[in-house]
Amino acid sequence: MKPIALITGATSGIGEACARRFARGGYDLILTARRADKLASIQAELETEGAKVKTLVFDVRDAEAAEAAVHSLAGTPWENVDVLINNAGLALGLDKEYEGDPEDWNTMIDTNIKGLLTMTRLIVPAMVKRNEGHVINVGSVAGDAAYARGNVYCATKAAVKAITDGLRIDVAESAVRVTNLKPGLVETNFSTVRFHGDSERAEGVYKGIKPLTGADIADVAFFAASAPKHVQIAEVLILATHQANGSFIHRDL
Ligand code: NDP
Ligand code: 8X3
């Protein structure tokens, strides 16, 4: 029986790259997101390459739907999740805090914080009971310090750091490992989503610098999951060369 990784937000960017990396590394996969068609095409591709793939379509903001999806695994070969990658998330807007859209704030808070907590609450008890497992949360350099107009998004990723650190304490008497991955600029759909579909503005975010790819982050996630069982990669900050932190990026324009 292969180990099982459950990846949220597996239809795009970092989550999709993690699906490919973990499949290549010998995992079976539970892939989750809202877009059923995209999940199905990734499933078909990875199954052709030899991985077993189960898809679960739900919105992480909908705690009841998440619970029903996870409970549907009980008593099946998918029951025991070895690695949970809490990746689903987004930024919406890049506005001054006093001019931001409260709807955007709620979506970010509900997805990046509450959705991650929902999945943690559903999956981790069985890990603790089995005395094995690994939770990899996708935080961000944005959680280290606020950057201009990042306010609420940065706050959600600061929360991911605190939630990850808290979980690491709470599972310390078990063999469950907990990792916070903190990427910098990664070229995915992230900026297109942030700018509500304005792809031209999104492209500007990556001008004059070679950004990271989802695959770069997936490699680090896989490294953390593959470390010997006595090694806990607690936190990793992964920046593009020429990016120094959330605010300072040298661009060759
Ligand atoms: P993408 O927009 O490419 O992917 C986001 C993924 O999250 C999609 O698969 C989307 O799937 C899923 N998702 C979004 N909202 C929900 C929801 N409510 N319920 C379920 N799934 C959801 O962005 P990235 O790959 O870049 O982002 C992944 C994570 O990485 C996020 O947490 C982001 O904050 C973080 N991050 C990104 C960085 C970057 O520069 N790109 C840097 C640092 C961190 P679907 O729409 O099908 O539901
Ligand atoms: C995504 C990276 O710097 O655009 O979390 O916020 S950043």
Side-chain angles (χ1 to χ4, degrees), residues 18-100:
C18 283
R20 294 217 162 81
R21 184 66 190 87
F22 278 72
R24 187 153 45 90
Y27 280 73
D28 288 331
L29 301 167
I30 302 169
L31 303 181
T32 87
R34 294 166 298 181
R35 281 174 292 167
D37 53 342
K38 191 78 208 292
L39 278 178
S41 73
I42 295 167
Q43 175 181 31
E45 178 200 323
L46 295 180
E47 282 180 344
T48 314
E49 292 164 17
K52 287 203 186 73
V53 180
K54 167 97 184 155
T55 60
L56 296 175
V57 181
F58 64 92
D59 185 322
V60 291
R61 291 171 296 173
D62 183 342
E64 276 178 23
E67 186 176 341
V70 171
H71 285 177
S72 75
L73 305 172
T76 77
W78 298 100
E79 187 170 34
N80 293 329
V81 172
D82 297 284
V83 180
L84 167 64
I85 304 183
N86 270 321
N87 162 77
L90 77 174
L92 285 173
L94 192 65
D95 304 301
K96 289 185 186 263
E97 190 167 308
Y98 58 86
E99 292 171 346

Side-chain angles (χ1 to χ4, degrees), residues 6-233:
L6 188 158
I7 303 168
T8 68
T11 48
S12 172
I14 295 170
E16 182 178 355
C18 283
R20 294 217 162 81
R21 184 66 190 87
F22 278 72
R24 187 153 45 90
Y27 280 73
D28 288 331
L29 301 167
I30 302 169
L31 303 181
T32 87
R34 294 166 298 181
R35 281 174 292 167
D37 53 342
K38 191 78 208 292
L39 278 178
S41 73
I42 295 167
Q43 175 181 31
E45 178 200 323
L46 295 180
E47 282 180 344
T48 314
E49 292 164 17
K52 287 203 186 73
V53 180
K54 167 97 184 155
T55 60
L56 296 175
V57 181
F58 64 92
D59 185 322
V60 291
R61 291 171 296 173
D62 183 342
E64 276 178 23
E67 186 176 341
V70 171
H71 285 177
S72 75
L73 305 172
T76 77
W78 298 100
E79 187 170 34
N80 293 329
V81 172
D82 297 284
V83 180
L84 167 64
I85 304 183
N86 270 321
N87 162 77
L90 77 174
L92 285 173
L94 192 65
D95 304 301
K96 289 185 186 263
E97 190 167 308
Y98 58 86
E99 292 171 346
D101 180 345
E103 227 177 274
D104 285 350
W105 298 347
N106 286 332
T107 304
M108 289 188 279
I109 291 166
D110 290 347
T111 309
N112 301 359
I113 305 177
K114 293 183 185 174
L116 180 147
L117 279 171
T118 294
M119 294 307 296
T120 302
R121 184 70 184 83
L122 287 169
I123 300 291
V124 175
M127 289 182 171
V128 172
K129 203 162 165 200
R130 292 187 347 256
N131 197 33
E132 63 182 8
H134 194 156
V135 180
I136 299 178
N137 288 336
V138 180
S140 172
V141 65
D144 282 358
Y147 55 76
R149 298 170 185 258
N151 44 69
V152 176
Y153 176 69
C154 295
T156 66
K157 292 301 182 177
V160 170
K161 175 171 168 50
I163 287 164
T164 311
D165 290 345
L167 181 65
R168 198 177 304 107
I169 295 165
D170 295 338
V171 299
E173 63 187 17
S174 79
V176 175
R177 301 184 291 183
V178 184
T179 300
N180 185 15
L181 290 187
K182 305 189 300 181
L185 279 180
V186 189
E187 193 164 13
T188 63
N189 281 329
F190 177 85
S191 293
T192 305
V193 170
R194 171 171 242 170
F195 299 131
H196 298 281
D198 183 343
S199 48
E200 208 174 302
R201 190 172 174 202
E203 274 169 29
V205 173
Y206 310 106
K207 279 234 167 85
I209 182 168
K210 185 174 166 62
L212 299 164
T213 64
D216 295 326
I217 308 308
D219 281 343
V220 180
F222 188 76
F223 177 84
S226 310
K229 293 293 180 204
H230 68 288
V231 178
Q232 179 170 219
I233 309 287

Side-chain angles (χ1 to χ4, degrees), residues 140-147 183-185 209 237-251:
S140 172
V141 65
D144 282 358
Y147 55 76
L185 279 180
I209 182 168
L237 176 65
I238 312 133
L239 300 175
T241 304
H242 301 297
Q243 175 173 20
N245 57 39
S247 297
F248 192 92
I249 296 165
H250 172 78
R251 295 179 194 272

